[in-house]
Amino acid sequence: MTKSGQRLAVSELAKLHVERLAAIEAASEPVYAIPSEYPAGYHVKPHRHSRAQFVYARAGVVMVSSVQGRWMVPPQHALWIPAGLVHMVDMLGDVTMLSAYVAPNALADPPTAIRVVALTDLARALIIEAAASPSGATSGRHDLVMALLLEEVLRLPDRPLGLPFPSDARLAALCRGFIENPSARLLIDDWAERLAMSRRAFTRFFRKETGISLSTWRQQAAVFTALPRLAAGEAVTAVAIDLGYDSVAAFTTMFRRMLGAAPRAYFKAPPEQY
């Protein structure tokens, strides 16, 4: 595709996004589900909607960013975005996305924080079915699918694919630098010294700013960096070495601890039957 053609495609997608936002706001049903496709590298500008959004990345990897941090949604996962939260979206690879927009009164106690969750076979089938229904569809079966989807969403297990960012400018700069050049050899004492703090004071400060320990944050940042590369087919060995791990085994152990499966097994998703 020529550069002019690429600009046209981006322009058309941006226009389509505005139309989708308008349709979401105008929808009257409790759950409004739609499919969408985006090319690799496409960026959705900061926006918000009055409904919560349940996003399933059926293909490709999606990264959502807000003032609260960044969240990555690889295949076979989904993301819950609370209503009213300003966020932007980046596509890592060609993306097929299914989204269910949930009205504020559709759930008695909806999650108020962003959550990355692992999909069950049932949840996957339900959102595929929901997104395949025509806009404004009304039938007993359609209503049952949507109602069951809402029930299943609240039961899905969380996955550590979020990366909280501190509000302190000095600490945020260290975190951004690490993401640009991640290393398994990050030491607490190094960061504490750069902020002129004792190890103990820095440890308390980091947890207060992010809600997790530096060790956990570092591992999540490593997963953040590794997932798009592994999803694109890069060798586990190359990724592990680039991240500063002494061996593939050490990287695999960390990956399995964070995501519940070794890298190669993680991307062998079960075939869809729906």
Side-chain angles (χ1 to χ4, degrees), residues 66-112:
S66 79
V67 294
Q68 299 178 11
R70 296 179 181 178
W71 291 263
M72 191 169 288
V73 195
Q76 310 311 319
H77 287 75
L79 181 73
W80 174 271
I81 303 174
L85 180 68
V86 176
H87 60 284
M88 55 188 177
V89 187
D90 290 282
M91 312 303 163
L92 308 179
D94 293 333
V95 168
T96 298
M97 180 191 304
L98 307 181
S99 295
Y101 294 89
V102 182
N105 59 354
L107 290 172
D109 188 23
T112 58

Side-chain angles (χ1 to χ4, degrees), residues 135-157:
S135 299
T138 55
S139 69
R141 181 177 183 277
H142 175 83
D143 293 344
L144 288 172
V145 167
M146 297 304 188
L148 185 54
L149 175 60
L150 290 179
E151 288 291 328
E152 189 68 6
V153 163
L154 298 178
R155 299 166 60 90
L156 298 175

Side-chain angles (χ1 to χ4, degrees), residues 38-52:
Y38 297 94
Y42 185 75
H43 173 75
V44 179
K45 295 180 179 180
H47 64 284
R48 69 170 73 187
H49 18 78
S50 62
R51 291 171 172 248

Side-chain angles (χ1 to χ4, degrees), residues 9-226:
V10 169
S11 175
E12 291 175 344
L13 283 170
K15 180 181 178 181
L16 181 58
H17 180 68
V18 172
E19 293 173 352
R20 282 179 179 145
L21 288 178
I24 292 163
E25 297 303 318
S28 59
E29 55 264 48
V31 181
Y32 180 80
I34 54 175
S36 52
E37 294 187 357
Y38 297 94
Y42 185 75
H43 173 75
V44 179
K45 295 180 179 180
H47 64 284
R48 69 170 73 187
H49 18 78
S50 62
R51 291 171 172 248
Q53 182 181 6
F54 184 67
V55 185
Y56 166 40
R58 194 174 186 183
V61 177
V62 175
M63 185 165 67
V64 175
S65 304
S66 79
V67 294
Q68 299 178 11
R70 296 179 181 178
W71 291 263
M72 191 169 288
V73 195
Q76 310 311 319
H77 287 75
L79 181 73
W80 174 271
I81 303 174
L85 180 68
V86 176
H87 60 284
M88 55 188 177
V89 187
D90 290 282
M91 312 303 163
L92 308 179
D94 293 333
V95 168
T96 298
M97 180 191 304
L98 307 181
S99 295
Y101 294 89
V102 182
N105 59 354
L107 290 172
D109 188 23
T112 58
I114 288 185
R115 298 174 59 216
V116 179
V117 296
L119 283 181
T120 59
D121 290 341
L122 176 58
R124 184 183 303 108
L126 288 169
I127 193 168
I128 290 173
E129 183 65 27
S133 300
S135 299
T138 55
S139 69
R141 181 177 183 277
H142 175 83
D143 293 344
L144 288 172
V145 167
M146 297 304 188
L148 185 54
L149 175 60
L150 290 179
E151 288 291 328
E152 189 68 6
V153 163
L154 298 178
R155 299 166 60 90
L156 298 175
D158 290 295
R159 288 292 181 262
L161 294 173
L163 198 62
F165 263 65
S167 58
D168 180 83
R170 299 173 303 158
L171 187 55
L174 291 177
C175 290
R176 282 193 296 270
F178 181 85
I179 290 174
E180 293 171 0
N181 187 26
S183 171
R185 299 181 179 86
L186 171 63
L187 299 177
I188 294 177
D189 291 335
D190 293 341
W191 280 23
E193 182 178 350
R194 293 177 67 176
L195 294 187
M197 292 181 176
S198 68
R199 178 188 178 94
R200 184 176 180 182
F202 174 82
T203 299
R204 290 198 303 266
F205 179 62
F206 191 90
R207 186 176 289 276
K208 179 182 177 182
E209 286 284 316
T210 65
I212 57 179
S213 69
L214 178 58
S215 176
T216 299
W217 188 92
R218 174 184 59 77
Q219 291 178 351
Q220 291 182 192
V223 169
F224 231 69
T225 302

